[in-house]
Amino acid sequence: MDLTIHASTLPHDDADAALAFYRDTLGFEVRSDVGHGKTRWITVGPVDQPGTSILLAPAAADPGITEDERRTITEMMAKGTYGWILLATRDLDGTFDRLQAADDAEVVQEPTDQPYGVRDCAFRDPAGNLVRIQQLR
């Protein structure tokens, strides 16, 4: 098979805050922005990787989700246990410093050499999603 990762999805509860974080703070380009208000689906991705994207989707927008499920999703997002993504960079310390200085990135973990062989750090985006960033070797 010849498969590639085209897109991964993260929930948002505020489209403008998500857009500001992924576009302005992380530097991703906006590939599409459809919908309006809280029901916006925004596709972003690295400028130099046009085939890889993140779809920022309204949390619990699926009409098949019950109110109890919607509440659970909202609670999990608030705790930062619902969505996460793993990114990588050649300059982890520089990336960490830039994100730490941003108003919309909550530091979860400073750059750390992990016992399982990677050096990484972690932030939360405005919706509470965990954004881990690894040092490329």
Side-chain angles (χ1 to χ4, degrees), residues 8 10 21-22 26 28 46 49 52-54 84-90 92 95 99 119-121 123 130-136:
S8 184
L10 286 175
F21 179 78
Y22 287 93
L26 291 182
F28 289 161
Q49 297 176 44
T52 303
S53 300
I54 300 169
W84 65 280
I85 193 162
L86 179 58
L87 305 175
T89 182
R90 295 199 185 285
L92 184 65
T95 299
L99 289 172
R119 179 171 169 76
D120 68 356
C121 65
F123 292 86
L130 185 65
V131 178
R132 294 198 74 81
I133 306 172
Q134 288 185 350
Q135 174 77 44
L136 285 173

Side-chain angles (χ1 to χ4, degrees), residues 66-137:
T66 67
E67 282 308 311
D68 284 343
E69 292 168 331
R70 194 175 319 280
R71 224 177 350 272
T72 299
I73 290 169
T74 301
E75 290 169 2
M76 290 178 70
M77 285 177 63
K79 288 177 27 180
T81 59
Y82 187 69
W84 65 280
I85 193 162
L86 179 58
L87 305 175
T89 182
R90 295 199 185 285
D91 180 14
L92 184 65
D93 293 316
T95 299
F96 176 83
D97 291 344
R98 190 172 59 113
L99 289 172
Q100 185 179 32
D103 292 333
D104 55 357
E106 174 192 342
V107 175
V108 173
Q109 176 200 304
E110 294 186 7
T112 303
D113 292 318
Q114 301 292 354
Y116 43 87
V118 300
R119 179 171 169 76
D120 68 356
C121 65
F123 292 86
R124 291 207 193 287
D125 74 5
N129 297 307
L130 185 65
V131 178
R132 294 198 74 81
I133 306 172
Q134 288 185 350
Q135 174 77 44
L136 285 173
R137 295 178 188 229

Side-chain angles (χ1 to χ4, degrees), residues 21-76:
F21 179 78
Y22 287 93
R23 181 193 58 205
D24 304 336
T25 303
L26 291 182
F28 289 161
E29 70 180 355
V30 176
R31 305 220 170 112
S32 69
D33 186 344
V34 298
H36 61 280
K38 288 193 171 214
T39 55
R40 282 170 60 194
W41 287 260
I42 304 165
T43 304
V44 297
V47 175
D48 60 346
Q49 297 176 44
T52 303
S53 300
I54 300 169
L55 172 61
L56 304 170
D62 185 332
I65 293 175
T66 67
E67 282 308 311
D68 284 343
E69 292 168 331
R70 194 175 319 280
R71 224 177 350 272
T72 299
I73 290 169
T74 301
E75 290 169 2
M76 290 178 70

